[in-house]
Amino acid sequence: MHTLAMAVAYGLYLVIVIGAIGLAIIAVFWLPDRLLGFRRVEGIVVVPLATIAIWLLLSYGAVPLPGILIISPHKLLAGLALTCGLIWCFVEDNWL
């Protein structure tokens, strides 16, 4: 009985992890363009690459972010994706 309960708990944990990774992928590659509507094709490449680079630098360097409560790295990734998307929209409007 204990083995069955552990198998079910581990299976639910895997579903949560796979779902979180799926949401992170959606956040990086789909949400910024969908929400912000980039006018140039370069945004579809630049925004995910910038987001992943910043996220890896923050996570690899274990950079403390004062004043920001990080609940999970996946929510940080989604926030970074939208922030990079907004920055790209600013660049599109003002410099391109």
Side-chain angles (χ1 to χ4, degrees), residues 7-63:
V8 169
Y10 187 68
L12 290 174
Y13 176 73
L14 284 176
V15 167
I16 290 171
V17 169
I18 291 170
I21 291 170
L23 286 175
I25 290 170
I26 288 172
V28 170
F29 291 101
W30 185 68
L31 279 179
D33 181 46
R34 185 76 176 153
L35 291 175
L36 303 170
F38 301 142
R39 286 177 280 173
R40 297 177 66 95
V41 179
E42 294 90 353
I44 297 172
V45 175
V46 171
V47 171
L49 290 178
T51 301
I52 291 170
I54 293 169
W55 186 60
L56 287 175
L57 284 173
L58 288 175
S59 61
Y60 180 72
V63 176

Side-chain angles (χ1 to χ4, degrees), residues 1-12:
M1 189 62 139
H2 176 69
T3 306
L4 179 62
M6 289 302 294
V8 169
Y10 187 68
L12 290 174

Side-chain angles (χ1 to χ4, degrees), residues 54-79:
I54 293 169
W55 186 60
L56 287 175
L57 284 173
L58 288 175
S59 61
Y60 180 72
V63 176
L65 300 173
I68 298 175
L69 176 64
I70 299 173
I71 298 171
S72 75
H74 305 296
K75 290 179 183 175
L76 173 66
L77 182 61

